[in-house]
Amino acid sequence: MILYKCIAFWLLSATTTNAFAPVLPSHKVSIFRQSPFASTASPLMEESSMITPEGFGFSAPVRRILKESGRGYHKAKASDTVIDVMQAITAGAYDVALVYDEKELVGLFTETDYIRFSTQRSDQATTEKESAEYLLTAVREYVTPAAELLTLSPDQTANVAIATMKRDNIRHLLVADPVQNQKLTKDSSLLGIISLQDVMGCIQKDERLSLQTLAQKYPNMSVLDQYREQIKSDANKAAADPETVKQDILKFGAAALFGAIFLSFLTRVPLLEDYASSVMIGLFVLGYIGIIFEEVLEFNKAGIALLMSTGLWITYADFFTGDPNGIASEAVLEQLKDQLAEVSDICFFLLAASAIVEVVDAHQGFKVVTNQIKTTSKKSLFWIIGILTFFLSSILNNLTVTIVMVSLLRKLIPSENDRRLFGAMVVVAANAGGVWTPIGDVTTTMLWINHQLSTIPTVTELFLPSFVCLVSSLAFLVGQVEEDGSLENAMTEATPLSPRGQLVFVSGIVSLLSVPVFAELTGLPPYLAMLTGLGAMWTLTDIIHMGEEDEASEQLKLPAALERTDVAGILFFLGILMSIGVLDKSGLLKDLAVYLSDTLPSLDIIATVIGLASALIDNVPLVAATMGMYELADYGTDDRLWQLIALCAGTGGSILVIGSASGVALMGLEKVDFLWYAKKVSIGAAVGYFAGIATYLLEDAVLHGSNLFAGMLPQAAVAADLIQQQIGVVM
């Protein structure tokens, strides 16, 4: 993937020589031979045919890359242990270690070799003694042998380095003089090591400067436009490949099927009118299957959710309501407006909150928190990170906290296996912490905005169950953490945060925390309070960076933060909530509520089942469906049902890695797979889930004097009262 980015930069760069000819396929070189500049004799074009000067960009010599970007290496003895070498690499901020036996080079040791070592130790060391013996293994056993190392001379260029790394699937090259057939000789003098990151950093810096210089010199010249046209032409040629054509036919067939379904809506097929409710249920099920299997189908879930919502509304408006003309009635249009107004509250709230968090993170404001972590005990760090994540996610959204904390773990935890377990713990803690405040989790926010929950009871009555859920899960999972002293050299010295970073952090936190206060004092919707905070942060950052016109400053302002927000995720919520809304308007959710009421004897059990379902199905549509199933008039604000729904839907998603946005983020960041999570974490998360529910029921009984039958549905409650009365008579 990195190589493809390199080639993209190359195609947009100014290197119009044939420097790549010896090392890249011929179709890659054709861009130079058929350059858009070749067909014109304009002096301006001739002058601009060398945007990046010789010796820079892809033609930059390895000597300069080594001088400007090389970070050196750790020199280790062959008898040193793997652990000692890895600690030395980390402490010295190096990428690799060169391992010597006396004066003879034995090989190269990188983090990839350390991962191989750790995996082997995990698989083969079944006892503490065997594990200890592995820790004393000499590094010579895990190096890439010197005979296999590839070497470049200092006069070779960046494009040769990239092609060599791609060809052999490596990330480091030795630099020596002299070199024979990219191998060290007896007379070679080792000058250093370069990595792919070093090469790309040098190239990108040169290319950016070259394009900026050209744009200043010829502001009206459309160099990039011509290159983009060439890229389009190459893409068109690649699409003629027979395999690509076959895939295109399959895709076209699927699109044609979708078009036929859509056409059936427009032509009013009688089947749609006769079975409108079944069609709506089918559309929702198919759409949700598409959302669950997003990765397999390679469809973005936001697009599927939007198509699902529009399909449901069309079916409802033109077929379900029985309008003879097949046109949406005024009543349906009013329902659509009401639903959109309700959903927009949540979408604007999420957009503003995400932008505030992004701008705080851009100023490294979270260093205020992370700089306080000092421990070198892995188990202590496990608890510290868990509790810190729990409280952070109560004021920030849990997805953002997960990303921030996993990024922190990469700096603290050298072992990949340990980092996965810590990351899974972060998911559990973030989901638990998001439950007990109105702004901590999307589902709690939905219930709060729609008045099923209010601020004070949510905080006071859901904090303890959420905390018990966290502690129970962490107590179960911490047994898998093994103390090995690996944190002693991993902890880096805390760097101070600038005054402006501290100001942005405090202002951002105040903006988020003031939302419930604003809503309580003014009676206005919470999204308006969040937009007010966004406007305040926007103005603050504009003032801070006033007069600063460099690119780095622009990335710290609110417009850049808005570009980084997850707009696709917000549109996904829009599609889901609009879909749930039409199912509510049609009465289908009420039918589901009646079925659950007739089947399950207790609202507590219904809430528990919904929480378990959220481990497989996104909790947003589940909570939205529940809000449509039960009337606020029957179950008022802060009713036991709504509080249990918030607790169960928020924490139940931790049981499986796909059950929450935090878990999905962990899958992407640390490559955690479904089965590993199910084996290592699911039981611990389930223990916390049921412990939290039990704590809430006990707390509710103490605070409100309720009994074990309080959550039962009316019919079951009447029977329970009769049983209690009979027991009382007997006694």
Side-chain angles (χ1 to χ4, degrees):
M1 181 59 70
I2 295 176
L3 177 70
Y4 297 150
K5 294 182 180 179
C6 297
I7 294 177
F9 265 97
W10 163 53
L11 292 176
L12 292 175
S13 76
T15 309
T16 56
T17 69
N18 283 330
F20 267 114
V23 291
L24 290 181
S26 59
H27 71 277
K28 298 297 183 184
V29 182
S30 65
I31 183 69
F32 300 120
R33 295 174 181 169
Q34 301 173 7
S35 170
F37 300 116
S39 61
T40 175
S42 166
L44 175 61
M45 290 301 173
E46 291 178 0
E47 183 178 357
S48 64
S49 64
M50 290 294 293
I51 301 175
T52 304
E54 184 68 23
F56 292 84
F58 284 93
S59 63
V62 171
R63 186 191 311 275
R64 185 165 73 86
I65 297 173
L66 183 63
K67 180 179 179 181
E68 295 184 1
S69 306
R71 282 167 286 178
Y73 58 88
H74 171 66
K75 188 174 181 180
K77 297 179 180 179
S79 58
D80 291 344
T81 65
V82 171
I83 298 299
D84 289 340
V85 174
M86 198 63 204
Q87 288 178 347
I89 292 175
T90 305
Y94 300 129
D95 279 346
V96 297
L98 287 179
V99 181
Y100 288 85
D101 190 355
E102 298 298 334
K103 295 184 179 181
E104 181 182 357
L105 179 64
V106 176
L108 179 73
F109 183 82
T110 69
E111 71 275 10
T112 303
D113 300 311
Y114 181 74
I115 292 172
R116 178 161 54 90
F117 161 78
S118 300
T119 303
Q120 182 175 323
R121 179 168 67 94
S122 176
D123 293 340
Q124 299 184 11
T126 58
T127 65
E128 291 186 1
K129 181 180 179 181
E130 291 176 346
S131 181
E133 290 175 351
Y134 259 94
L135 295 178
L136 299 177
T137 303
V139 72
R140 75 168 79 230
E141 303 294 332
Y142 292 93
V143 299
T144 302
E148 299 178 12
L149 299 179
L150 295 180
T151 310
L152 296 183
S153 68
D155 295 325
Q156 289 181 287
T157 53
N159 61 315
V160 178
I162 291 174
T164 302
M165 291 178 181
K166 176 181 184 294
R167 183 193 67 203
D168 290 86
N169 193 27
I170 57 177
R171 296 193 300 112
H172 296 89
L173 291 170
L174 302 185
V175 181
D177 190 26
V179 173
Q180 184 176 3
N181 296 326
Q182 293 192 329
K183 296 290 185 179
L184 291 170
T185 68
K186 294 181 179 180
D187 300 325
S188 294
S189 174
L190 184 63
L191 303 179
I193 298 177
I194 58 172
S195 66
L196 181 59
Q197 181 180 352
D198 297 333
V199 178
M200 282 308 303
C202 180
I203 291 173
Q204 292 178 14
K205 181 184 68 174
D206 290 349
E207 300 297 332
R208 189 180 300 111
L209 291 175
S210 298
L211 289 176
Q212 290 175 355
T213 302
L214 183 69
Q216 294 173 359
K217 190 172 183 180
Y218 306 114
N220 297 322
M221 196 174 87
S222 56
V223 177
L224 293 181
D225 291 338
Q226 296 181 54
Y227 274 119
R228 291 189 184 103
E229 289 301 318
Q230 184 66 46
I231 293 172
K232 293 177 184 176
S233 177
D234 288 350
N236 184 55
K237 292 177 182 178
D241 180 74
E243 186 63 29
T244 303
V245 172
K246 185 189 299 183
Q247 294 177 4
D248 287 344
I249 292 174
L250 294 175
K251 295 173 185 176
F252 177 78
L257 177 62
F258 175 79
I261 295 173
F262 182 72
L263 185 63
S264 67
F265 280 96
L266 300 180
T267 55
R268 297 190 59 78
V269 174
L271 183 65
L272 293 176
E273 296 182 359
D274 297 338
Y275 299 97
S277 59
S278 299
V279 171
M280 291 180 68
I281 295 173
L283 283 174
F284 183 79
V285 171
L286 285 175
Y288 212 80
I289 289 174
I291 291 171
I292 293 174
F293 294 101
E294 174 190 18
E295 297 295 332
V296 177
L297 300 175
E298 296 185 5
F299 291 152
N300 189 286
K301 64 181 180 181
I304 297 175
L306 291 174
L307 286 174
M308 178 175 66
S309 66
T310 53
L312 287 170
W313 275 101
I314 292 172
T315 306
Y316 174 66
D318 294 348
F319 302 98
F320 188 89
T321 57
D323 186 274
N325 300 320
I327 302 297
S329 64
E330 288 296 327
V332 171
L333 292 177
E334 286 299 320
Q335 289 178 328
L336 179 59
K337 291 178 182 178
D338 293 341
Q339 183 64 27
L340 181 60
E342 182 179 328
V343 171
S344 297
D345 286 5
I346 298 175
C347 291
F348 279 118
F349 183 95
L350 291 175
L351 178 64
S354 299
I356 291 174
V357 172
E358 283 289 346
V359 80
V360 171
D361 187 44
H363 288 80
Q364 294 190 312
F366 297 111
K367 278 183 174 248
V368 171
V369 178
T370 57
N371 279 348
Q372 305 306 313
I373 300 176
K374 307 293 185 182
T375 183
T376 57
S377 166
K378 287 169 64 176
K379 291 190 176 182
S380 297
L381 182 64
F382 193 84
W383 283 99
I384 291 172
I385 294 293
I387 294 174
L388 180 61
T389 302
F390 177 82
F391 285 101
L392 277 178
S393 64
S394 68
I395 55 176
L396 309 176
N397 74 75
N398 46 15
L399 175 59
T400 301
V401 172
T402 299
I403 295 172
V404 171
M405 298 310 291
V406 170
S407 299
L408 172 65
L409 291 176
R410 288 178 174 174
K411 302 176 183 177
L412 300 178
I413 310 295
S415 169
E416 183 178 355
N417 289 333
D418 287 342
R419 208 161 53 238
R420 287 181 178 180
L421 183 62
F422 273 70
M425 172 269 296
V426 164
V427 170
V428 173
N431 289 337
V435 167
W436 60 279
T437 65
I439 61 175
D441 184 83
V442 174
T443 52
T444 310
T445 301
M446 289 165 53
L447 292 166
W448 178 58
I449 289 177
N450 288 280
H451 306 294
Q452 276 88 1
L453 296 176
S454 60
T455 303
I456 301 302
T458 299
V459 173
T460 56
E461 297 185 31
L462 290 183
F463 171 77
L464 181 59
S466 300
F467 191 72
V468 169
C469 175
L470 169 76
V471 172
S472 300
S473 294
L474 264 60
F476 188 92
L477 296 174
V478 75
Q480 301 181 45
V481 178
E482 298 179 0
E483 296 284 9
D484 55 13
S486 60
L487 295 185
E488 294 180 4
N489 293 324
M491 300 298 294
T492 57
E493 184 178 354
T495 56
L497 182 62
S498 65
R500 65 169 53 172
Q502 297 177 19
L503 176 61
V504 171
F505 172 77
V506 172
S507 301
I509 297 301
V510 169
S511 297
L512 295 172
L513 292 178
S514 62
V515 170
V517 178
F518 180 98
E520 291 289 339
L521 294 179
T522 64
L524 293 171
Y527 79 90
L528 192 61
M530 192 62 79
L531 288 175
T532 302
L534 178 63
M537 291 296 294
W538 199 321
T539 304
L540 173 65
T541 52
D542 281 349
I543 293 173
I544 289 175
H545 300 289
M546 188 178 296
E548 300 176 5
E549 299 180 356
D550 57 289
E551 182 180 348
S553 297
E554 291 298 323
Q555 293 301 312
L556 298 177
K557 295 182 180 179
L558 238 304
L562 285 170
E563 292 178 2
R564 295 190 296 269
T565 55
D566 185 14
V567 177
I570 295 173
L571 289 176
F572 166 69
F573 292 133
L574 173 67
I576 285 292
L577 295 176
M578 290 297 291
S579 299
I580 295 297
V582 69
L583 293 177
D584 179 28
K585 306 298 183 188
S586 66
L588 294 175
L589 291 183
K590 295 295 186 297
D591 295 339
L592 177 60
V594 171
Y595 173 78
L596 289 177
S597 299
D598 293 341
T599 305
L600 301 176
S602 169
L603 290 174
D604 297 343
I605 296 177
I606 292 174
T608 303
V609 169
I610 289 174
L612 293 174
S614 70
L616 284 170
I617 303 174
D618 193 281
N619 55 7
V620 171
L622 284 173
V623 173
T626 307
M627 291 163 58
M629 286 161 50
Y630 300 99
E631 295 287 349
L632 189 59
D634 298 328
Y635 303 95
T637 301
D638 298 318
D639 187 85
R640 172 168 164 161
L641 170 66
W642 304 122
Q643 291 185 341
L644 259 180
I645 289 294
L647 176 66
C648 294
T651 59
S654 302
I655 296 176
L656 294 176
V657 71
I658 62 172
S660 65
S662 300
V664 174
L666 179 67
M667 292 177 71
L669 292 170
E670 289 295 332
K671 310 305 178 188
V672 172
D673 62 72
F674 181 91
L675 293 179
W676 180 91
Y677 189 95
K679 178 181 177 181
K680 297 287 187 178
V681 183
S682 292
I683 296 178
V687 168
Y689 174 73
F690 288 108
I693 294 174
T695 302
Y696 175 80
L697 295 177
L698 180 61
E699 178 188 73
D700 186 67
V702 172
L703 293 178
H704 304 291
S706 61
N707 54 45
L708 295 178
F709 304 111
M712 287 189 172
L713 296 167
Q715 301 88 338
V718 171
D721 288 341
L722 291 175
I723 292 173
Q724 285 183 317
Q725 292 174 10
Q726 294 298 324
I727 293 175
V729 170
V730 173
M731 294 180 65

